[in-house]
Amino acid sequence: MDPALSRRAFLLASGATASGLALEIALPAGPAAASAVTPSATTPMTTVRTVARPHGTSGYRRLSDGPGWRRVTRTELADARKDRAERRTVLACFVQFTDLHITDAQNPQRYEFLRAGDLGSWRPQEALTAVGAVSLIEQINALGHGPATRAPIGFVMTTGDNTDNNSRIEMEWFLTAMTGGRFTPNTGDPGAYEGVQNSGLGLYWQPDSGLRDVDKRVGFPHLDGFLKAAIREVSSPGLAVPWYSTIGNHDQLFGGAYSSAGGFFADLATGSRKLFSLPASEAGAVYQALRRGDPTGARFRAAWKRYRGKTRTVTADERRAPLSPHAYIAAHLDPAYTGSGPAGHGYTRDNLDSGRLDYSFRIADGVVGISLDTTDRGGDYRGSVGTRQLAWLERTLKTHADDIALIFSHHPSWAMTNLTPNPARPGEKRHSGQELLAVLRKHGNVAAWINGHSHLNKIVPHGGLWEISTASHVDYPQLARVVELADNHDGTLSLFTTLVESAAPHRTDFTDLSQSGLAALYRELSFNSPGIRSGLAGLPGDRNTELLLKKR
């Protein structure tokens, strides 16, 4: 973890470090291997071809086109045998989205005021999460095929934190973006922005104001019309392929960390009072409590009540109401959001009746996907699973013993250390990531565990399977990951992973406040966001890879 206190280092990394092997082993020579490394000129760009590159060494840095990241072959779990590319057949090709964090930046429940204790506790780019997500969808639609095998992309899986505040309106925005349509990323006053970015407080970037705030002092631009453009209607084409959904802590908990105990946060979200700032010492105390584990938000609530007299009036909005697990599933099952399918996006009527957010689905002949809910409803940003879930997972893996299994969750193994009891099942034991790994390793058909949460590219071998964790699309470098599974017909499988940026151009134009221009600005602002952890792109062996493993 970055030693600096920041919201990302605390809420999203949960102690993760940029580890992972960077093995410099080239793919074998030959036409098939060459096509896996260097896409044709007609192939939409992935990070194999080019990655956004910063200019300058200090202050606000502009982005432009830079060299791509080479593909690295990793052989910790199996040898890379000669001529495998010539024998290979593709079993599956799909894309992972993770940590989109589509955000209602004006929600009174948000705790931007933690920035008084650490600059990284608020992101200047948060008002642009919707246009950033749509630009990523546009890129996947344009890509169409896996860059390593040229197999058609079969589906997209989101691995949680699709939204940021567990609110009904954010879920509507997310579902509309994914399935296609128009939406307006604004709440409260329909004609004005009421968040921290027009508060007149120098603690936050005031893009439309001449105020010399803390961000402008390091080079952030003055952009007339930015906030008006940020709450303008957004148009999404929707994904052209089916998509599935996995839930994350920000989709289920207040601020990604607090349970619904007492109803305080629900009332705050839908109410008309917003706290814009706290003294630095008080903000630091709330942050430290959160970092240690404050599942019901006791320290947050105490600070809010103590400084209630400093709150400001904003327009109340019932659309900010939280979603229960039942309502979360029902929203996915709404026919209005079926899009390219499937109906429910993995969730079924059985999930609605049981309230359980785990499911399995058929990826292809001989390949099954399993989605796990690793969020602890008792609170805390770190994850875990319950005994009942582990038993269901065991049964499901046994049922599909003849299939290759791919596991999807929000939390990675290293961020599953929270064993707070689920209020709905207080007598049920919670289990850590290491315990979950032990179950997965018992079943030789599990090829990979694919997750997010840490906003970090990190790929780790575990016995006979690979754990693949992918960076977010809210913090730089704002990536999705294409995964291609192939049988090499020599006793091994290959998992190709290729990182993808959004369709927005790398180079920004401060005068371009169109939807595409804002998406480009979203990336550049995220790069310059004060307090962001370095190294979220990971090492070469965590990015574009071929991961070998034995076929069981």
Side-chain angles (χ1 to χ4, degrees), residues 288-303:
Q288 288 291 352
L290 199 58
R291 185 179 184 185
R292 290 191 297 268
D294 185 14
T296 63
R299 191 67 184 81
F300 176 105
R301 287 181 283 141

Side-chain angles (χ1 to χ4, degrees), residues 477-500:
Q478 295 189 341
L479 300 168
R481 197 187 292 265
V482 183
V483 179
E484 299 164 83
L485 174 65
D487 187 341
N488 295 320
H489 298 287
D490 59 6
T492 69
L493 302 173
S494 287
L495 277 161
F496 292 94
T497 75
T498 309
L499 294 167
V500 180

Side-chain angles (χ1 to χ4, degrees), residues 196 198-206 211 213-214 276-277 312:
V196 297
N198 68 345
S199 64
L201 296 172
L203 181 62
Y204 312 104
W205 179 44
Q206 306 292 298
L211 179 70
D213 55 64
V214 296
F276 281 69
S277 64
R312 301 186 186 187

Side-chain angles (χ1 to χ4, degrees), residues 245-256:
S245 186
T246 295
I247 196 167
N249 52 299
H250 277 265
D251 301 316
Q252 195 166 127
L253 302 174
F254 295 99

Side-chain angles (χ1 to χ4, degrees), residues 36 71 88 90-95 143 145-153 406 481-487 493-498 545-547:
R71 194 177 300 282
R88 174 177 296 145
V90 183
L91 303 177
C93 176
F94 60 91
V95 176
L143 186 60
H145 295 78
T149 67
R150 301 299 297 156
I153 293 172
L406 302 176
R481 197 187 292 265
V482 183
V483 179
E484 299 164 83
L485 174 65
D487 187 341
L493 302 173
S494 287
L495 277 161
F496 292 94
T497 75
T498 309
T545 69
E546 181 188 5
L547 310 174

Side-chain angles (χ1 to χ4, degrees), residues 8 87 173 177-178 272 318 339 380 508:
R8 284 168 291 283
R87 296 185 298 271
W173 296 344
M178 296 290 279
S272 61
E318 286 295 327
D380 200 273
T508 60

